[in-house]
Amino acid sequence: MTAVPERDPGLQPERTRLAWRRTTLTFTVAAVLAARQVAGGDLSAAGFVAVALSALVWLGFLRVAHRRVHALGARPRPQALSARTALTAVACTVALAGFAVAMVV
């Protein structure tokens, strides 16, 4: 039986890890801006609920990103992003955008 040579992934996992970190930072900035909206005091009850839900969505996205970053660093050949993880990340992003609209309106 021949041994399968270990794949040299180059810098792709590192670039992907950095992309996840940049996206997480951007998501964090959006969540902080939502919190700032609360501090301004010009928020309706629906807006306050939107800010609270934004915080929950932010935590959910952080969990997804954290798991993915660790999966990328765990092995020389990381597994492909699962459909469930991708769908969760997309849902969090769309939800945050929706809550931002609810805060402004």
Side-chain angles (χ1 to χ4, degrees):
M1 178 175 218
T2 61
V4 176
E6 191 171 314
R7 177 180 172 264
D8 178 19
L11 294 176
Q12 180 186 5
E14 181 64 21
R15 286 191 309 268
T16 305
R17 221 179 357 262
L18 289 171
W20 274 99
R21 289 176 194 234
R22 278 191 312 270
T23 305
T24 303
L25 178 62
T26 304
F27 219 97
T28 302
V29 168
V32 167
L33 289 175
R36 184 173 176 222
Q37 190 76 353
V38 170
D42 316 354
L43 208 56
S44 66
F48 186 75
V49 169
V51 170
L53 291 174
S54 294
L56 287 176
V57 167
W58 174 69
L59 290 172
F61 187 82
L62 281 181
R63 183 171 187 257
V64 168
H66 179 74
R67 291 181 67 184
R68 186 61 185 160
V69 167
H70 279 286
L72 288 167
R75 13 183 138 152
R77 187 175 186 165
Q79 293 180 342
L81 184 66
S82 70
R84 179 180 176 190
T85 303
L87 184 60
T88 303
V90 168
C92 287
T93 304
V94 170
L96 184 68
F99 297 145
V101 169
M103 280 183 269
V104 173
V105 174

